[in-house]
Amino acid sequence: MACRHQPKFFLLLSVLISVNAAVFSFQHRPKISAVDLVALSAIKDSLTDIPGSRFFSTWDFTAPDPCSSFAGVTCSFDNRVTILSLGTGLSDSPGLAGSLSPDLSNLSELTQLVLFPGLVTGPIPPQLGQLTRLRVISLTNNRLTGSIPTSFATLPYLHTIDLSSNQLTGTIPAGLTKLPSLKVLILSSNELTGELPRTVSAQLLHLDLKNNNIRGPLPRSLPSTLRYLSVSGNSMWGPLNGLESLSELVYLDVSMNKFSGPIPSSLFLNPTLSSLFLQRNNLSGGLPSMKMDPTTVRSYGEGSIVDLSHNFITGEITPLLAGVETLFLNNNHLIGSVPEEYVKSVYSGTTKTLYLQHNYLSGFPLPQGLVLPDTASLCLSYNCMVPPVGMSTCPASAGTQLSRPESQCSVFSHRSSMH
């Protein structure tokens, strides 16, 4: 009788063992998507800690909860990887070496991809264009080569692209400047070439393209939302007309290019613009000559800086820039006497640096008995006058000659009067 129940007993026992095994397996299965775990393994295989870095020391693939224990990994409630930060970015960590794995594209829920400074080489995988949820791509200060993937232009939610300080080549994909959600585009300090797109329709707040090999003119149309714009250190040319509509600018740097023509007067009247770098171009024309009540000259505020040096700006200095904390007008073709507003601004301590050397200025109306503040740097050398202050606060680049030769002053004055 007992023998008849044995098959049922063994069947029940085997079911219980199977259930327990399944429960044990579920309890010990890593709390992360299997697809993401395989992708992370491939990513780790393509990268390595530079000696002194211990970033991957926490990446133990037998751990029960990689979402919690893996450095740089953040997951959603359903255990999908949403943020991946490779490296620590700490000053005492040398970063990672190796290359970026195309398997990054298998992290299909990824919204942020960050690579901190290191020695990572090779191309940016074009497969990243498959990550349609990406909002941030930041791969800075490494040795990435090749071109910027055109596939980035298909990412509808992309807010920030920062690929600065690498060795990227080729042109800027036209589609990048049309992305509907893009606010920050930083491609500085690479080896990018070609011209900028004629129109930038993305509502950018921050555009940084400095220190590349970009040629040609500024785009005809730039977004009026821009607050930061830098194209410094390229080979760009043409007028600055495209900047006239940028009423929200706080920081503008087009220095060290080949831009020419007059400076748009709107740049001097923009109440938000406190950092203006136009130096080392071929800009000409004069400073805006609007009649202003000295008591209503706009205040540029603490930390303000305007650099118009090393251009071909002519005419007399107008009161417009009095009150700028750091003002460089040196190495131009300016004439006449310096307005008294600048003298007052320097001696009141509002303007801390005023460089006017290497022009054709004929006067600096300094009242007797005024003493230059210790914090002030005033340079008036190599003009058509004997400066009322010495050269002790001039930079070494100003040279050692106190005044211009009379012959230069008379010839230039004659030419100026003819125009």
Side-chain angles (χ1 to χ4, degrees), residues 30-33 36-37 40 63-76 78-82:
K31 293 179 181 178
I32 191 171
S33 156
D36 288 0
L37 193 64
L40 291 175
D65 188 6
C67 285
S68 298
S69 61
F70 278 28
V73 173
T74 302
C75 297
S76 60
D78 56 352
N79 298 322
R80 296 300 308 276
V81 177
T82 55

mmCIF file with all atom_site columns, all heavy atoms in Angstrom, residues 30-33 36-37 40 63-76 78-82:
data_model
loop_
_atom_site.group_PDB
_atom_site.id
_atom_site.type_symbol
_atom_site.label_atom_id
_atom_site.label_alt_id
_atom_site.label_comp_id
_atom_site.label_asym_id
_atom_site.label_entity_id
_atom_site.label_seq_id
_atom_site.pdbx_PDB_ins_code
_atom_site.Cartn_x
_atom_site.Cartn_y
_atom_site.Cartn_z
_atom_site.occupancy
_atom_site.B_iso_or_equiv
_atom_site.pdbx_formal_charge
_atom_site.auth_seq_id
_atom_site.auth_comp_id
_atom_site.auth_asym_id
_atom_site.auth_atom_id
_atom_site.pdbx_PDB_model_num
ATOM 1   N N   . PRO A 1 30 ? 21.607 38.743 -10.257 1.00 0.00 ? 30 PRO A N   1
ATOM 2   C CA  . PRO A 1 30 ? 21.978 40.156 -10.109 1.00 0.00 ? 30 PRO A CA  1
ATOM 3   C C   . PRO A 1 30 ? 20.782 41.063 -10.372 1.00 0.00 ? 30 PRO A C   1
ATOM 4   O O   . PRO A 1 30 ? 20.006 40.842 -11.309 1.00 0.00 ? 30 PRO A O   1
ATOM 5   C CB  . PRO A 1 30 ? 23.068 40.349 -11.172 1.00 0.00 ? 30 PRO A CB  1
ATOM 6   C CG  . PRO A 1 30 ? 23.636 38.998 -11.395 1.00 0.00 ? 30 PRO A CG  1
ATOM 7   C CD  . PRO A 1 30 ? 22.482 38.045 -11.216 1.00 0.00 ? 30 PRO A CD  1
ATOM 8   N N   . LYS A 1 31 ? 20.654 42.107 -9.526  1.00 0.00 ? 31 LYS A N   1
ATOM 9   C CA  . LYS A 1 31 ? 19.535 43.044 -9.665  1.00 0.00 ? 31 LYS A CA  1
ATOM 10  C C   . LYS A 1 31 ? 19.864 44.069 -10.743 1.00 0.00 ? 31 LYS A C   1
ATOM 11  O O   . LYS A 1 31 ? 20.078 45.251 -10.469 1.00 0.00 ? 31 LYS A O   1
ATOM 12  C CB  . LYS A 1 31 ? 19.267 43.731 -8.331  1.00 0.00 ? 31 LYS A CB  1
ATOM 13  C CG  . LYS A 1 31 ? 18.755 42.799 -7.249  1.00 0.00 ? 31 LYS A CG  1
ATOM 14  C CD  . LYS A 1 31 ? 18.538 43.550 -5.945  1.00 0.00 ? 31 LYS A CD  1
ATOM 15  C CE  . LYS A 1 31 ? 18.054 42.631 -4.846  1.00 0.00 ? 31 LYS A CE  1
ATOM 16  N NZ  . LYS A 1 31 ? 17.895 43.357 -3.564  1.00 0.00 ? 31 LYS A NZ  1
ATOM 17  N N   . ILE A 1 32 ? 19.897 43.603 -11.969 1.00 0.00 ? 32 ILE A N   1
ATOM 18  C CA  . ILE A 1 32 ? 20.179 44.462 -13.109 1.00 0.00 ? 32 ILE A CA  1
ATOM 19  C C   . ILE A 1 32 ? 19.743 43.724 -14.366 1.00 0.00 ? 32 ILE A C   1
ATOM 20  O O   . ILE A 1 32 ? 19.744 42.485 -14.406 1.00 0.00 ? 32 ILE A O   1
ATOM 21  C CB  . ILE A 1 32 ? 21.684 44.821 -13.182 1.00 0.00 ? 32 ILE A CB  1
ATOM 22  C CG1 . ILE A 1 32 ? 21.939 45.937 -14.210 1.00 0.00 ? 32 ILE A CG1 1
ATOM 23  C CG2 . ILE A 1 32 ? 22.536 43.602 -13.478 1.00 0.00 ? 32 ILE A CG2 1
ATOM 24  C CD1 . ILE A 1 32 ? 23.357 46.488 -14.181 1.00 0.00 ? 32 ILE A CD1 1
ATOM 25  N N   . SER A 1 33 ? 19.360 44.456 -15.367 1.00 0.00 ? 33 SER A N   1
ATOM 26  C CA  . SER A 1 33 ? 18.989 43.847 -16.639 1.00 0.00 ? 33 SER A CA  1
ATOM 27  C C   . SER A 1 33 ? 20.149 43.005 -17.177 1.00 0.00 ? 33 SER A C   1
ATOM 28  O O   . SER A 1 33 ? 21.315 43.444 -17.169 1.00 0.00 ? 33 SER A O   1
ATOM 29  C CB  . SER A 1 33 ? 18.634 44.943 -17.638 1.00 0.00 ? 33 SER A CB  1
ATOM 30  O OG  . SER A 1 33 ? 18.804 44.507 -18.964 1.00 0.00 ? 33 SER A OG  1
ATOM 31  N N   . ASP A 1 36 ? 21.968 44.743 -19.948 1.00 0.00 ? 36 ASP A N   1
ATOM 32  C CA  . ASP A 1 36 ? 22.844 45.808 -19.466 1.00 0.00 ? 36 ASP A CA  1
ATOM 33  C C   . ASP A 1 36 ? 24.108 45.235 -18.832 1.00 0.00 ? 36 ASP A C   1
ATOM 34  O O   . ASP A 1 36 ? 25.198 45.805 -18.974 1.00 0.00 ? 36 ASP A O   1
ATOM 35  C CB  . ASP A 1 36 ? 22.114 46.692 -18.454 1.00 0.00 ? 36 ASP A CB  1
ATOM 36  C CG  . ASP A 1 36 ? 21.057 47.580 -19.108 1.00 0.00 ? 36 ASP A CG  1
ATOM 37  O OD1 . ASP A 1 36 ? 20.911 47.485 -20.345 1.00 0.00 ? 36 ASP A OD1 1
ATOM 38  O OD2 . ASP A 1 36 ? 20.398 48.352 -18.395 1.00 0.00 ? 36 ASP A OD2 1
ATOM 39  N N   . LEU A 1 37 ? 23.967 44.117 -18.112 1.00 0.00 ? 37 LEU A N   1
ATOM 40  C CA  . LEU A 1 37 ? 25.128 43.512 -17.463 1.00 0.00 ? 37 LEU A CA  1
ATOM 41  C C   . LEU A 1 37 ? 26.151 43.043 -18.494 1.00 0.00 ? 37 LEU A C   1
ATOM 42  O O   . LEU A 1 37 ? 27.360 43.242 -18.325 1.00 0.00 ? 37 LEU A O   1
ATOM 43  C CB  . LEU A 1 37 ? 24.690 42.345 -16.577 1.00 0.00 ? 37 LEU A CB  1
ATOM 44  C CG  . LEU A 1 37 ? 25.749 41.812 -15.605 1.00 0.00 ? 37 LEU A CG  1
ATOM 45  C CD1 . LEU A 1 37 ? 26.126 42.892 -14.595 1.00 0.00 ? 37 LEU A CD1 1
ATOM 46  C CD2 . LEU A 1 37 ? 25.242 40.555 -14.892 1.00 0.00 ? 37 LEU A CD2 1
ATOM 47  N N   . LEU A 1 40 ? 27.869 46.139 -19.847 1.00 0.00 ? 40 LEU A N   1
ATOM 48  C CA  . LEU A 1 40 ? 28.855 46.672 -18.906 1.00 0.00 ? 40 LEU A CA  1
ATOM 49  C C   . LEU A 1 40 ? 30.134 45.840 -18.913 1.00 0.00 ? 40 LEU A C   1
ATOM 50  O O   . LEU A 1 40 ? 31.244 46.379 -18.795 1.00 0.00 ? 40 LEU A O   1
ATOM 51  C CB  . LEU A 1 40 ? 28.270 46.732 -17.493 1.00 0.00 ? 40 LEU A CB  1
ATOM 52  C CG  . LEU A 1 40 ? 27.170 47.769 -17.258 1.00 0.00 ? 40 LEU A CG  1
ATOM 53  C CD1 . LEU A 1 40 ? 26.587 47.627 -15.850 1.00 0.00 ? 40 LEU A CD1 1
ATOM 54  C CD2 . LEU A 1 40 ? 27.700 49.189 -17.465 1.00 0.00 ? 40 LEU A CD2 1
ATOM 55  N N   . ALA A 1 63 ? 28.635 40.266 -8.045  1.00 0.00 ? 63 ALA A N   1
ATOM 56  C CA  . ALA A 1 63 ? 27.928 40.996 -6.990  1.00 0.00 ? 63 ALA A CA  1
ATOM 57  C C   . ALA A 1 63 ? 26.422 40.888 -7.191  1.00 0.00 ? 63 ALA A C   1
ATOM 58  O O   . ALA A 1 63 ? 25.938 40.850 -8.329  1.00 0.00 ? 63 ALA A O   1
ATOM 59  C CB  . ALA A 1 63 ? 28.356 42.461 -6.988  1.00 0.00 ? 63 ALA A CB  1
ATOM 60  N N   . PRO A 1 64 ? 25.644 40.855 -6.093  1.00 0.00 ? 64 PRO A N   1
ATOM 61  C CA  . PRO A 1 64 ? 24.187 40.677 -6.217  1.00 0.00 ? 64 PRO A CA  1
ATOM 62  C C   . PRO A 1 64 ? 23.452 41.915 -6.741  1.00 0.00 ? 64 PRO A C   1
ATOM 63  O O   . PRO A 1 64 ? 22.370 41.785 -7.291  1.00 0.00 ? 64 PRO A O   1
ATOM 64  C CB  . PRO A 1 64 ? 23.746 40.360 -4.776  1.00 0.00 ? 64 PRO A CB  1
ATOM 65  C CG  . PRO A 1 64 ? 24.805 40.983 -3.912  1.00 0.00 ? 64 PRO A CG  1
ATOM 66  C CD  . PRO A 1 64 ? 26.083 40.847 -4.680  1.00 0.00 ? 64 PRO A CD  1
ATOM 67  N N   . ASP A 1 65 ? 24.050 43.105 -6.569  1.00 0.00 ? 65 ASP A N   1
ATOM 68  C CA  . ASP A 1 65 ? 23.334 44.324 -6.955  1.00 0.00 ? 65 ASP A CA  1
ATOM 69  C C   . ASP A 1 65 ? 24.296 45.335 -7.607  1.00 0.00 ? 65 ASP A C   1
ATOM 70  O O   . ASP A 1 65 ? 24.676 46.335 -6.991  1.00 0.00 ? 65 ASP A O   1
ATOM 71  C CB  . ASP A 1 65 ? 22.660 44.945 -5.727  1.00 0.00 ? 65 ASP A CB  1
ATOM 72  C CG  . ASP A 1 65 ? 21.735 46.105 -6.090  1.00 0.00 ? 65 ASP A CG  1
ATOM 73  O OD1 . ASP A 1 65 ? 21.544 46.345 -7.300  1.00 0.00 ? 65 ASP A OD1 1
ATOM 74  O OD2 . ASP A 1 65 ? 21.221 46.764 -5.162  1.00 0.00 ? 65 ASP A OD2 1
ATOM 75  N N   . PRO A 1 66 ? 24.689 45.085 -8.871  1.00 0.00 ? 66 PRO A N   1
ATOM 76  C CA  . PRO A 1 66 ? 25.606 46.009 -9.551  1.00 0.00 ? 66 PRO A CA  1
ATOM 77  C C   . PRO A 1 66 ? 25.093 47.448 -9.600  1.00 0.00 ? 66 PRO A C   1
ATOM 78  O O   . PRO A 1 66 ? 25.884 48.382 -9.601  1.00 0.00 ? 66 PRO A O   1
ATOM 79  C CB  . PRO A 1 66 ? 25.714 45.418 -10.964 1.00 0.00 ? 66 PRO A CB  1
ATOM 80  C CG  . PRO A 1 66 ? 25.396 43.962 -10.794 1.00 0.00 ? 66 PRO A CG  1
ATOM 81  C CD  . PRO A 1 66 ? 24.354 43.930 -9.714  1.00 0.00 ? 66 PRO A CD  1
ATOM 82  N N   . CYS A 1 67 ? 23.765 47.626 -9.632  1.00 0.00 ? 67 CYS A N   1
ATOM 83  C CA  . CYS A 1 67 ? 23.202 48.982 -9.673  1.00 0.00 ? 67 CYS A CA  1
ATOM 84  C C   . CYS A 1 67 ? 23.628 49.801 -8.464  1.00 0.00 ? 67 CYS A C   1
ATOM 85  O O   . CYS A 1 67 ? 23.744 51.024 -8.532  1.00 0.00 ? 67 CYS A O   1
ATOM 86  C CB  . CYS A 1 67 ? 21.684 48.919 -9.748  1.00 0.00 ? 67 CYS A CB  1
ATOM 87  S SG  . CYS A 1 67 ? 21.063 48.445 -11.385 1.00 0.00 ? 67 CYS A SG  1
ATOM 88  N N   . SER A 1 68 ? 23.847 49.116 -7.333  1.00 0.00 ? 68 SER A N   1
ATOM 89  C CA  . SER A 1 68 ? 24.248 49.803 -6.111  1.00 0.00 ? 68 SER A CA  1
ATOM 90  C C   . SER A 1 68 ? 25.757 49.779 -5.889  1.00 0.00 ? 68 SER A C   1
ATOM 91  O O   . SER A 1 68 ? 26.311 50.709 -5.299  1.00 0.00 ? 68 SER A O   1
ATOM 92  C CB  . SER A 1 68 ? 23.559 49.172 -4.892  1.00 0.00 ? 68 SER A CB  1
ATOM 93  O OG  . SER A 1 68 ? 22.168 49.300 -4.981  1.00 0.00 ? 68 SER A OG  1
ATOM 94  N N   . SER A 1 69 ? 26.414 48.711 -6.351  1.00 0.00 ? 69 SER A N   1
ATOM 95  C CA  . SER A 1 69 ? 27.828 48.535 -5.992  1.00 0.00 ? 69 SER A CA  1
ATOM 96  C C   . SER A 1 69 ? 28.806 48.996 -7.063  1.00 0.00 ? 69 SER A C   1
ATOM 97  O O   . SER A 1 69 ? 29.962 49.276 -6.757  1.00 0.00 ? 69 SER A O   1
ATOM 98  C CB  . SER A 1 69 ? 28.102 47.062 -5.661  1.00 0.00 ? 69 SER A CB  1
ATOM 99  O OG  . SER A 1 69 ? 27.825 46.226 -6.781  1.00 0.00 ? 69 SER A OG  1
ATOM 100 N N   . PHE A 1 70 ? 28.384 49.088 -8.338  1.00 0.00 ? 70 PHE A N   1
ATOM 101 C CA  . PHE A 1 70 ? 29.307 49.495 -9.408  1.00 0.00 ? 70 PHE A CA  1
ATOM 102 C C   . PHE A 1 70 ? 29.500 51.015 -9.368  1.00 0.00 ? 70 PHE A C   1
ATOM 103 O O   . PHE A 1 70 ? 28.523 51.777 -9.457  1.00 0.00 ? 70 PHE A O   1
ATOM 104 C CB  . PHE A 1 70 ? 28.749 49.118 -10.785 1.00 0.00 ? 70 PHE A CB  1
ATOM 105 C CG  . PHE A 1 70 ? 28.982 47.682 -11.176 1.00 0.00 ? 70 PHE A CG  1
ATOM 106 C CD1 . PHE A 1 70 ? 29.095 46.686 -10.218 1.00 0.00 ? 70 PHE A CD1 1
ATOM 107 C CD2 . PHE A 1 70 ? 29.076 47.324 -12.520 1.00 0.00 ? 70 PHE A CD2 1
ATOM 108 C CE1 . PHE A 1 70 ? 29.296 45.363 -10.589 1.00 0.00 ? 70 PHE A CE1 1
ATOM 109 C CE2 . PHE A 1 70 ? 29.284 46.011 -12.889 1.00 0.00 ? 70 PHE A CE2 1
ATOM 110 C CZ  . PHE A 1 70 ? 29.390 45.017 -11.936 1.00 0.00 ? 70 PHE A CZ  1
ATOM 111 N N   . ALA A 1 71 ? 30.745 51.464 -9.252  1.00 0.00 ? 71 ALA A N   1
ATOM 112 C CA  . ALA A 1 71 ? 31.032 52.896 -9.313  1.00 0.00 ? 71 ALA A CA  1
ATOM 113 C C   . ALA A 1 71 ? 30.595 53.449 -10.666 1.00 0.00 ? 71 ALA A C   1
ATOM 114 O O   . ALA A 1 71 ? 30.810 52.825 -11.709 1.00 0.00 ? 71 ALA A O   1
ATOM 115 C CB  . ALA A 1 71 ? 32.519 53.151 -9.110  1.00 0.00 ? 71 ALA A CB  1
ATOM 116 N N   . GLY A 1 72 ? 29.959 54.624 -10.662 1.00 0.00 ? 72 GLY A N   1
ATOM 117 C CA  . GLY A 1 72 ? 29.588 55.298 -11.909 1.00 0.00 ? 72 GLY A CA  1
ATOM 118 C C   . GLY A 1 72 ? 28.314 54.809 -12.554 1.00 0.00 ? 72 GLY A C   1
ATOM 119 O O   . GLY A 1 72 ? 27.931 55.316 -13.612 1.00 0.00 ? 72 GLY A O   1
ATOM 120 N N   . VAL A 1 73 ? 27.629 53.825 -11.939 1.00 0.00 ? 73 VAL A N   1
ATOM 121 C CA  . VAL A 1 73 ? 26.407 53.261 -12.536 1.00 0.00 ? 73 VAL A CA  1
ATOM 122 C C   . VAL A 1 73 ? 25.193 53.685 -11.711 1.00 0.00 ? 73 VAL A C   1
ATOM 123 O O   . VAL A 1 73 ? 25.154 53.505 -10.495 1.00 0.00 ? 73 VAL A O   1
ATOM 124 C CB  . VAL A 1 73 ? 26.481 51.726 -12.606 1.00 0.00 ? 73 VAL A CB  1
ATOM 125 C CG1 . VAL A 1 73 ? 25.147 51.130 -13.061 1.00 0.00 ? 73 VAL A CG1 1
ATOM 126 C CG2 . VAL A 1 73 ? 27.597 51.290 -13.565 1.00 0.00 ? 73 VAL A CG2 1
ATOM 127 N N   . THR A 1 74 ? 24.211 54.250 -12.377 1.00 0.00 ? 74 THR A N   1
ATOM 128 C CA  . THR A 1 74 ? 22.932 54.583 -11.748 1.00 0.00 ? 74 THR A CA  1
ATOM 129 C C   . THR A 1 74 ? 21.818 53.894 -12.532 1.00 0.00 ? 74 THR A C   1
ATOM 130 O O   . THR A 1 74 ? 21.824 53.926 -13.778 1.00 0.00 ? 74 THR A O   1
ATOM 131 C CB  . THR A 1 74 ? 22.695 56.104 -11.747 1.00 0.00 ? 74 THR A CB  1
ATOM 132 O OG1 . THR A 1 74 ? 23.771 56.748 -11.049 1.00 0.00 ? 74 THR A OG1 1
ATOM 133 C CG2 . THR A 1 74 ? 21.375 56.461 -11.073 1.00 0.00 ? 74 THR A CG2 1
ATOM 134 N N   . CYS A 1 75 ? 20.885 53.267 -11.814 1.00 0.00 ? 75 CYS A N   1
ATOM 135 C CA  . CYS A 1 75 ? 19.818 52.506 -12.479 1.00 0.00 ? 75 CYS A CA  1
ATOM 136 C C   . CYS A 1 75 ? 18.446 53.083 -12.156 1.00 0.00 ? 75 CYS A C   1
ATOM 137 O O   . CYS A 1 75 ? 18.262 53.825 -11.188 1.00 0.00 ? 75 CYS A O   1
ATOM 138 C CB  . CYS A 1 75 ? 19.856 51.041 -12.040 1.00 0.00 ? 75 CYS A CB  1
ATOM 139 S SG  . CYS A 1 75 ? 21.365 50.163 -12.489 1.00 0.00 ? 75 CYS A SG  1
ATOM 140 N N   . SER A 1 76 ? 17.486 52.702 -12.978 1.00 0.00 ? 76 SER A N   1
ATOM 141 C CA  . SER A 1 76 ? 16.084 53.070 -12.763 1.00 0.00 ? 76 SER A CA  1
ATOM 142 C C   . SER A 1 76 ? 15.455 52.073 -11.794 1.00 0.00 ? 76 SER A C   1
ATOM 143 O O   . SER A 1 76 ? 16.086 51.109 -11.361 1.00 0.00 ? 76 SER A O   1
ATOM 144 C CB  . SER A 1 76 ? 15.345 53.044 -14.100 1.00 0.00 ? 76 SER A CB  1
ATOM 145 O OG  . SER A 1 76 ? 15.411 51.731 -14.658 1.00 0.00 ? 76 SER A OG  1
ATOM 146 N N   . ASP A 1 78 ? 13.354 49.834 -12.419 1.00 0.00 ? 78 ASP A N   1
ATOM 147 C CA  . ASP A 1 78 ? 13.283 48.499 -13.005 1.00 0.00 ? 78 ASP A CA  1
ATOM 148 C C   . ASP A 1 78 ? 14.670 47.973 -13.375 1.00 0.00 ? 78 ASP A C   1
ATOM 149 O O   . ASP A 1 78 ? 14.825 47.112 -14.245 1.00 0.00 ? 78 ASP A O   1
ATOM 150 C CB  . ASP A 1 78 ? 12.350 48.471 -14.220 1.00 0.00 ? 78 ASP A CB  1
ATOM 151 C CG  . ASP A 1 78 ? 12.747 49.487 -15.279 1.00 0.00 ? 78 ASP A CG  1
ATOM 152 O OD1 . ASP A 1 78 ? 13.654 50.311 -15.006 1.00 0.00 ? 78 ASP A OD1 1
ATOM 153 O OD2 . ASP A 1 78 ? 12.149 49.465 -16.372 1.00 0.00 ? 78 ASP A OD2 1
ATOM 154 N N   . ASN A 1 79 ? 15.714 48.522 -12.711 1.00 0.00 ? 79 ASN A N   1
ATOM 155 C CA  . ASN A 1 79 ? 17.084 48.000 -12.806 1.00 0.00 ? 79 ASN A CA  1
ATOM 156 C C   . ASN A 1 79 ? 17.692 48.099 -14.203 1.00 0.00 ? 79 ASN A C   1
ATOM 157 O O   . ASN A 1 79 ? 18.468 47.241 -14.615 1.00 0.00 ? 79 ASN A O   1
ATOM 158 C CB  . ASN A 1 79 ? 17.137 46.546 -12.308 1.00 0.00 ? 79 ASN A CB  1
ATOM 159 C CG  . ASN A 1 79 ? 16.752 46.432 -10.845 1.00 0.00 ? 79 ASN A CG  1
ATOM 160 O OD1 . ASN A 1 79 ? 17.097 47.293 -10.049 1.00 0.00 ? 79 ASN A OD1 1
ATOM 161 N ND2 . ASN A 1 79 ? 16.014 45.391 -10.500 1.00 0.00 ? 79 ASN A ND2 1
ATOM 162 N N   . ARG A 1 80 ? 17.346 49.165 -14.934 1.00 0.00 ? 80 ARG A N   1
ATOM 163 C CA  . ARG A 1 80 ? 18.023 49.468 -16.188 1.00 0.00 ? 80 ARG A CA  1
ATOM 164 C C   . ARG A 1 80 ? 19.022 50.610 -15.946 1.00 0.00 ? 80 ARG A C   1
ATOM 165 O O   . ARG A 1 80 ? 18.735 51.559 -15.213 1.00 0.00 ? 80 ARG A O   1
ATOM 166 C CB  . ARG A 1 80 ? 17.016 49.909 -17.263 1.00 0.00 ? 80 ARG A CB  1
ATOM 167 C CG  . ARG A 1 80 ? 16.016 48.849 -17.670 1.00 0.00 ? 80 ARG A CG  1
ATOM 168 C CD  . ARG A 1 80 ? 16.688 47.595 -18.251 1.00 0.00 ? 80 ARG A CD  1
ATOM 169 N NE  . ARG A 1 80 ? 17.623 47.879 -19.325 1.00 0.00 ? 80 ARG A NE  1
ATOM 170 C CZ  . ARG A 1 80 ? 17.289 48.040 -20.615 1.00 0.00 ? 80 ARG A CZ  1
ATOM 171 N NH1 . ARG A 1 80 ? 16.018 47.958 -20.980 1.00 0.00 ? 80 ARG A NH1 1
ATOM 172 N NH2 . ARG A 1 80 ? 18.227 48.277 -21.527 1.00 0.00 ? 80 ARG A NH2 1
ATOM 173 N N   . VAL A 1 81 ? 20.178 50.524 -16.585 1.00 0.00 ? 81 VAL A N   1
ATOM 174 C CA  . VAL A 1 81 ? 21.201 51.558 -16.418 1.00 0.00 ? 81 VAL A CA  1
ATOM 175 C C   . VAL A 1 81 ? 20.739 52.832 -17.122 1.00 0.00 ? 81 VAL A C   1
ATOM 176 O O   . VAL A 1 81 ? 20.450 52.826 -18.317 1.00 0.00 ? 81 VAL A O   1
ATOM 177 C CB  . VAL A 1 81 ? 22.550 51.099 -16.995 1.00 0.00 ? 81 VAL A CB  1
ATOM 178 C CG1 . VAL A 1 81 ? 23.589 52.219 -16.886 1.00 0.00 ? 81 VAL A CG1 1
ATOM 179 C CG2 . VAL A 1 81 ? 23.054 49.855 -16.263 1.00 0.00 ? 81 VAL A CG2 1
ATOM 180 N N   . THR A 1 82 ? 20.667 53.935 -16.364 1.00 0.00 ? 82 THR A N   1
ATOM 181 C CA  . THR A 1 82 ? 20.233 55.215 -16.941 1.00 0.00 ? 82 THR A CA  1
ATOM 182 C C   . THR A 1 82 ? 21.367 56.243 -16.995 1.00 0.00 ? 82 THR A C   1
ATOM 183 O O   . THR A 1 82 ? 21.344 57.134 -17.833 1.00 0.00 ? 82 THR A O   1
ATOM 184 C CB  . THR A 1 82 ? 19.067 55.809 -16.129 1.00 0.00 ? 82 THR A CB  1
ATOM 185 O OG1 . THR A 1 82 ? 19.465 55.911 -14.754 1.00 0.00 ? 82 THR A OG1 1
ATOM 186 C CG2 . THR A 1 82 ? 17.831 54.920 -16.245 1.00 0.00 ? 82 THR A CG2 1
#
